[in-house]
Amino acid sequence: MTSYTIYIPGEVDLQEILQSPLIWKEFQQRWAVGSPRLSDLLFGVDTMNKMIDISVDFELTDEQTANVSRAVRDIALGYVYIGDLAAVLQKQLGIEQKIASEIGGSALEILRPCMDEIKKIQLARFRNRIEQAATKPIDQPKQENTSNIINLRKP
């Protein structure tokens, strides 16, 4: 029988977190910066229903569903960089990158109502990565030589 805590990002692993004073203290500190709206999102019935939908739509096992819930919680609280979501899901769920991206898109929809707040949390935790991503040049496609002259010196 499935425990409904796997569908509630704020409750997944909560019993284990409570048993470790150091982990609980860090968890409380991260939770303290969140608003009541973020708490409602992570513990709410709407989120649980969306997590059930993701689980059913992608035919996830209970463990995979719990991992998606963990990823949602960990992004919201700044444990995981939002840009790593697909890679985290691919690794944790043992699935193809394309499916991980699709599940990640559905997971981000859960976070959408609090995205402004989550962006602030992410910026506080991952400022360097966000700034690097913003200044990283976009790869331009290589221009093919369409003339009939070939430069043999150019690699």
Side-chain angles (χ1 to χ4, degrees):
M1 184 166 149
T2 301
S3 167
Y4 281 96
T5 61
I6 66 169
Y7 302 110
I8 305 170
E11 287 190 27
V12 71
D13 301 328
L14 192 56
Q15 291 303 315
E16 292 83 4
I17 291 169
L18 289 170
Q19 292 176 9
S20 173
L22 289 176
I23 295 172
W24 174 238
K25 183 177 180 178
E26 181 185 356
F27 188 77
Q28 285 180 304
Q29 289 170 344
R30 290 190 184 226
W31 201 265
V33 300
S35 69
R37 186 173 178 200
L38 184 61
S39 293
D40 289 344
L41 181 118
L42 293 176
F43 285 96
V45 173
D46 287 341
T47 299
M48 181 182 77
N49 289 331
K50 290 175 185 175
M51 284 300 307
I52 290 170
D53 289 344
I54 291 171
S55 181
V56 170
D57 291 347
F58 292 97
E59 300 177 359
L60 302 178
T61 65
D62 287 354
E63 185 59 33
Q64 288 173 319
T65 301
N67 282 326
V68 176
S69 286
R70 286 181 191 104
V72 168
R73 177 200 61 210
D74 291 350
I75 286 171
L77 296 180
Y79 286 102
V80 171
Y81 177 56
I82 198 167
D84 292 341
L85 179 58
V88 167
L89 291 175
Q90 181 180 9
K91 181 180 177 186
Q92 293 295 320
L93 306 182
I95 57 175
E96 295 177 16
Q97 192 273 333
K98 181 179 184 273
I99 302 297
S101 293
E102 290 175 19
I103 294 170
S106 296
L108 289 176
E109 284 301 313
I110 291 172
L111 296 171
R112 185 170 305 282
C114 293
M115 193 54 75
D116 288 340
E117 181 177 352
I118 292 167
K119 284 179 183 178
K120 290 176 186 173
I121 292 168
Q122 289 278 309
L123 185 59
R125 298 281 179 195
F126 303 107
R127 180 175 298 280
N128 290 339
R129 289 192 66 190
I130 293 168
E131 289 173 354
Q132 285 175 353
T135 60
K136 184 178 177 183
I138 299 173
D139 292 335
Q140 298 292 328
K142 290 185 178 181
Q143 297 287 331
E144 289 189 32
N145 186 357
T146 57
S147 71
N148 59 358
I149 301 172
I150 300 173
N151 183 351
L152 296 176
R153 294 182 193 148
K154 195 173 185 180

